[in-house]
Amino acid sequence: MIKTLRDQLAKDLDVLGVPVANGWPDRITPPVLLVVPPASAVHVTAGPNFTEYTVALDVVVLAGKASPALALNALEELVEGVLSNTVDWSLSGVDSPSLVTISGTEYLGTVVHLSKPTRL
């Protein structure tokens, strides 16, 4: 159930033209989208009926290396792409952009918080 939702979300985001990692890869080269369990929310909650659940997933969005203005524009375009390709998911919010350091290089990134009801 959970893996199926995560796989489908990653597949839906493939159309954005940047690599999509389903989970935490060993190496990250932005721009990239990471479909991962939420860092600051409950991963699975009970639904209103037996065998119904809500699964929460995060999409970590990292822009490629660029000047601050260009990186912000690229990040916002990626976030808009995530939002337009996840219309069947509930949006909890999008974190404010912040700098993320990967292998000593800073990239601009954010997290899109999504959830979706499902059945077991």
Side-chain angles (χ1 to χ4, degrees):
M1 153 187 83
I2 299 168
K3 182 181 180 321
T4 302
L5 281 176
R6 198 176 69 246
D7 290 345
Q8 185 59 53
L9 179 55
K11 183 179 174 187
D12 291 345
L13 296 175
D14 271 339
V15 301
L16 297 179
V18 298
V20 179
N22 187 350
W24 294 105
D26 291 335
R27 294 190 178 153
I28 299 173
T29 304
V32 66
L33 303 174
L34 309 173
V35 178
V36 296
S40 61
V42 176
H43 192 28
V44 180
T45 56
N49 299 308
F50 184 68
T51 72
E52 292 180 349
Y53 302 91
T54 298
V55 175
L57 292 171
D58 283 349
V59 178
V60 178
V61 182
L62 297 174
K65 185 72 176 153
S67 69
L70 292 177
L72 182 58
N73 289 341
L75 182 69
E76 290 172 341
E77 286 178 19
L78 285 173
V79 168
E80 289 172 9
V82 170
L83 297 176
S84 67
N85 285 282
T86 57
V87 295
D88 58 337
W89 287 76
S90 296
L91 174 67
S92 301
V94 178
D95 291 349
S96 294
S98 62
L99 291 177
V100 178
T101 303
I102 301 170
S103 300
T105 303
E106 288 186 331
Y107 298 95
L108 191 61
T110 190
V111 180
V112 180
H113 305 280
L114 303 169
S115 63
K116 187 173 195 175
T118 189
R119 294 186 67 99
L120 186 61

